[in-house]
Amino acid sequence: MKTSSIFRCIVTYLDLRMRKILLTREVDDILKDAKLFEDKGFEVLALPLIKTQSLPFEVPQENFDYVVFQSQKAVKYFFEKASLHSNTKVVAVGKSTQKTLERLGYKAYIPDEESAKGLIEFFKDIKPCKVLLPRAKEGREELLNFLKERGFNVLDLNIYQTVMVEYSKEEILDVLSQDPIVVLASPSAVKSLFANLQKNMLICKITLRNVICIGETTKSAYQEHFRNTCYVPKKPSMEEVVNLALTLK
């Protein structure tokens, strides 16, 4: 290899080592995800924008034909109190939620498109039956509305809520002034980021150069609140986020 080629490789490597990534999920999630980025040479910054809290709910005693989990958090909070009948079919929004269910011993179906839209497509060919939706209190209602319109007997069970984490102006500037790639994993995180910038009068003063939104739903929420565009990974997983982040300048 020529000296110039070696030099270019070294410069590219050092440039990557200096890249910063801002993770905004809950603290436990950030701790879990950080290693994926650090292994690829990123410096990880943390700004948990949301936190989840369990809600009191009554464990349903009746039998359901399907139960649908639209997040890993829904799995966590539901199985802290409940279990499922052996003949209940389990559906997960995507592979990450599917793996969480598998660790608990439940086989789960996933739609071809890992999103609420994909879940709607999944149920289009299924005859109306009893469906349980354990989910976040402030969760989106596309699937719920679709099932009700199609005549499904749906129990909408709010088992947890997502709340915003507030930061001071100094705390926000401390991380965003480092020009990190910002990773937003949910509409709730988008809303929290916007609210924090608005509260601290930073909306017009901060430019987010590289933003990754996990999933089309999060992208839609981002476009509602911010003018600049965001990137969406091919699949809604942190591994795909890492791959996408590696391509950003």
Side-chain angles (χ1 to χ4, degrees):
M1 185 181 287
K2 294 181 180 180
T3 303
S4 59
S5 297
I6 295 173
F7 178 75
R8 282 198 298 272
C9 289
I10 293 173
V11 170
T12 300
Y13 175 75
L14 291 176
D15 182 58
L16 177 59
R17 292 293 299 181
M18 291 186 288
R19 290 311 309 272
K20 293 179 172 60
I21 197 101
L22 178 62
L23 303 183
T24 61
R25 298 207 292 170
E26 286 192 88
V27 174
D28 290 345
D29 295 319
I30 291 174
L31 292 173
K32 180 180 65 177
D33 297 335
K35 192 174 186 304
L36 291 172
F37 295 92
E38 291 169 347
D39 286 346
K40 294 297 183 180
F42 287 96
E43 178 183 342
V44 174
L45 305 177
L47 189 74
L49 288 171
I50 59 172
K51 60 182 179 180
T52 56
Q53 301 170 339
S54 62
L55 293 173
F57 68 93
E58 291 188 15
V59 178
Q61 298 301 315
E62 55 193 303
N63 196 6
F64 291 86
D65 297 292
Y66 288 89
V67 58
V68 184
F69 292 99
Q70 298 182 76
S71 70
Q72 296 178 68
K73 299 295 182 185
V75 175
K76 171 188 173 184
Y77 290 116
F78 180 78
F79 287 107
E80 283 180 353
K81 290 185 177 181
S83 60
L84 294 174
H85 291 276
S86 58
N87 59 341
T88 299
K89 296 181 179 69
V90 181
V91 182
V93 68
K95 288 182 180 178
S96 297
T97 305
Q98 182 188 47
K99 289 178 181 178
T100 302
L101 285 158
E102 287 176 347
R103 285 194 290 269
L104 294 172
Y106 292 95
K107 178 182 177 181
Y109 301 94
I110 59 171
D112 293 332
E113 180 182 327
E114 299 178 31
S115 66
K117 181 181 177 182
L119 289 171
I120 289 173
E121 290 296 323
F122 178 88
F123 277 98
K124 278 185 176 179
D125 296 325
I126 296 174
K127 293 181 180 179
C129 55
K130 294 182 70 174
V131 178
L132 174 63
L133 292 182
R135 66 192 192 102
K137 180 180 178 181
E138 64 287 333
R140 296 174 73 95
E141 299 190 343
E142 292 96 329
L143 177 61
L144 174 65
N145 292 337
F146 168 82
L147 293 174
K148 287 183 175 180
E149 289 169 4
R150 287 296 183 98
F152 285 80
N153 182 359
V154 186
L155 175 58
D156 180 22
L157 189 64
N158 294 331
I159 62 174
Y160 73 99
Q161 64 181 354
T162 304
V163 297
M164 183 182 85
V165 180
E166 293 188 14
Y167 291 95
S168 67
K169 183 175 183 178
E170 292 72 23
E171 289 171 320
I172 294 290
L173 287 173
D174 182 55
V175 290
L176 294 185
S177 63
Q178 299 182 57
D179 189 30
I181 298 170
V182 180
V183 180
L184 299 168
S186 67
S188 296
V190 172
K191 293 173 184 177
S192 177
L193 176 61
F194 182 81
N196 271 287
L197 292 174
Q198 190 175 51
K199 180 194 74 168
N200 291 299
M201 295 180 288
L202 293 172
I203 288 291
C204 298
K205 297 179 181 179
I206 292 290
T207 300
L208 302 175
R209 193 163 60 90
N210 286 316
V211 178
I212 296 176
C213 291
I214 302 180
E216 291 298 325
T217 304
T218 305
K219 176 185 176 181
S220 297
Y222 187 81
Q223 291 174 332
E224 289 176 11
H225 290 83
F226 295 93
R227 295 180 181 177
N228 60 309
T229 58
C230 65
Y231 301 93
V232 179
K234 294 179 180 178
K235 294 184 179 180
S237 71
M238 277 299 165
E239 289 78 9
E240 287 296 328
V241 171
V242 172
N243 293 335
L244 177 55
L246 288 168
T247 69
L248 301 181
K249 302 296 184 181

